[in-house]
Amino acid sequence: MENLLLDLKSKIEGVIEKENISDSYYQSIIEPRRILEVNLPLRRDNGEIFNYKGYRVQHSTTRGPAKGGIRFDQSVDLEETIALAMLMSLKCSLSKLPFGGAKGGIKVNPKELSISENERLTRRYTSEIIPIIGPDRDIPAPDAGTNEKNMAWIMDTYSVNVGFAVPGVVTGKPLELGGITGRVSATGDGVGIIASQLIKKGVVSSNARVGIIGFGNVGINAAIALRKSGFNIVALSDITSGIVGFNDLDEVIAEYKERGSFNKFDNYEKITNDELLGLNLDIIIPAALSNNINLNNFEKINAKVIIEGANTPISKVADQALSEKGKIIVPDILANSGGVIVSYFEWVQDRQKYNWSRDDVYKNLERIISDSFERVYCYSIDRNISLRDASLGLAVKELYNAHKLRGLYP
Ligand code: NAD
């Protein structure tokens, strides 16, 4: 069984060695700064009390406040949360955003909660983590299983506790509460910009055939963004099933919003996730959860390019094997950085009390993510290494330099 945290640590240790980082500051890159584990009693609508486990991990606060999403999913555990927090530090370092990295979550299936149960659980979780969050300490955001409603409840719980409105405590909020236009689609928009950069480099053509695994926030918005650039979206899937043979993406999205899952569709050909991997595609975008592409299914992949919309969607062993087969993998810390980049704009907007336009958001997202792509691409060519090793190398060096410059207290 592959272990996400151990795999990520060993990958980073490999990068540290390659980058000739020899002093012990590197340990601060491997270990999380702060871990909070909380028990969350929830009174269900029927009066019964259930206890849930919640976490908030701050991996780094060296370059600025910790930043990272909150996930509600049955698979949430401490090890995975540490690994995802570490990735956030690297993602923010790679994009040169003034943030460290964090991640949080509750081990719960949000689909089993009523809206009022979800609100009570979110508020209870917030009140438990209040001592370590804040606009200058740690700024949560949505992740799998959470959305702008959860962010509104977090903002309200925090604000009520300090006695005044603090929009900058979370990003991904509704517009009416200081949210920024374009945040909902930001991660998918970023995936679209990366795909366009791949056209410019001659890696793929603009009418490339694309399959997307996971049809939530990232999957849907990546599909819309890629379609805008002329790509052919030919296959989609979620945790229940997948579909092929559709002509009108807008119709599929509208129907998906109504039905909520692909197993409830009856007008298109159905496929499984593994069958999607084996289709004749040019690009695959995993936009679900960790390790969707693994030892058991990576051999099915025909596509030349994989753009990681999700965090850690490819297991370490599968990643190595796919790289050896010459596949081009745009790694998570680059490919899905659009979300945290626009979250950064939202945080700036809330602090300045000056609203950004949609145009400003998109132009600046495009500028930052294209700059990261160019740096990573050139570094990978110069050193003859994969895009993943190049991204991790640049991110680790940025974080390491910040540690060294700050020095060690006391
Ligand atoms: P979401 O909850 O909106 O959607 C997740 C989707 O994945 C759903 O369609 C679900 O059915 C599907 N899924 C889950 N398990 C699956 C499986 N085993 N096989 C196929 N499909 C499966 O979540 P999201 O916000 O879109 O996040 C998806 C990924 O992107 C996560 O890894 C998240 O950490 C990462 N990410 C999200 C953001 C963001 O802004 N939302 C930013 C950066 C990274």
Side-chain angles (χ1 to χ4, degrees), residues 71 84 91 103 111 142-146 183-184 187 213-219 237-240 256 273 287-290 292 309-312 336-337 339-340:
R71 182 176 288 193
L84 294 172
K91 202 179 291 183
K103 202 78 180 186
K111 292 201 165 148
D143 194 78
T146 58
R183 173 60 185 88
V184 173
T187 309
I213 302 174
F215 209 53
N217 174 292
V218 179
S237 72
D238 68 8
I239 195 166
T240 65
Y256 194 83
N273 276 296
L289 299 180
S290 297
N292 275 144
N311 286 312
T312 61
N336 68 36
S337 60
V340 73

Side-chain angles (χ1 to χ4, degrees), residues 195-196 198-210 226 229-232 282-283 304-305:
S196 301
L198 291 173
I199 300 177
K200 281 191 195 152
K201 298 289 180 200
V203 176
V204 290
S205 68
S206 64
N207 60 354
R209 290 164 57 81
V210 181
L226 267 84
S229 308
F231 289 99
N232 249 319
D282 302 300
I283 302 177
K304 171 175 152 198
V305 173

Side-chain angles (χ1 to χ4, degrees), residues 212-224 236 287:
I212 301 179
I213 302 174
F215 209 53
N217 174 292
V218 179
I220 292 178
N221 288 297
I224 295 171
L236 301 165

Side-chain angles (χ1 to χ4, degrees), residues 41 81 129 161 222 290 295 302 401:
T81 310
I129 66 168
N161 273 270
S290 297
L295 205 49
N302 291 311
N401 287 339

